[in-house]
């Protein structure tokens, strides 16, 4: 599965896209803790074997701190959920 960040340049827009594309529950909040909880526990079984995040450059420029957090989440997810993977492409 691909999560295309084209046009995503805010934290809120990232989380709205993730909520829609990864089918997070309605109560999903706009936070990195909520994102982590969802991918690890809430939708764990429904997460794709490989989630590729594309076109993330504009997001990284607009939200460098959030991109740093996302990179850490990706690293932690790949350790915790192997063989499932998240990756930047």
């Amino acid at each position: 599965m691909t999560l295309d960040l084209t046009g995503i340049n805010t934290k809120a827009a990232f989380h709205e896209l993730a909520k829609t594309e990864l089918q997070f529950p309605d109560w999903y909040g706009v936070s990195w803790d909520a994102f982590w909880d969802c991918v690890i526990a809430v939708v764990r079984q429904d997460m794709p074997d490989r989630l590729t995040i594309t076109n993330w450059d504009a997001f990284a420029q607009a939200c460098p701190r959030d991109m740093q957090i996302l990179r850490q989440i990706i690293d932690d997810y790949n350790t915790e959920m192997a063989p499932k993977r998240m990756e930047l492409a």
Side-chain angles (χ1 to χ4, degrees), residues 30-72:
V30 179
S31 76
W32 293 112
D33 288 338
F35 181 82
W36 176 254
D37 291 345
C38 279
V39 298
I40 290 298
V42 177
V43 297
R44 179 182 186 144
Q45 305 304 340
D46 297 325
M47 283 294 289
D49 290 338
R50 181 173 301 258
L51 176 63
T52 303
I53 301 170
T54 61
N55 301 310
W56 51 269
D57 295 357
F59 178 72
Q61 280 190 330
C63 306
R65 175 71 179 125
D66 289 302
M67 189 64 202
Q68 182 181 19
I69 294 168
L70 177 58
R71 286 179 189 274
Q72 185 62 56

Side-chain angles (χ1 to χ4, degrees), residues 20-34:
T20 301
E21 295 297 315
L22 299 173
Q23 300 178 338
F24 291 168
D26 289 339
W27 50 261
Y28 173 75
V30 179
S31 76
W32 293 112
D33 288 338

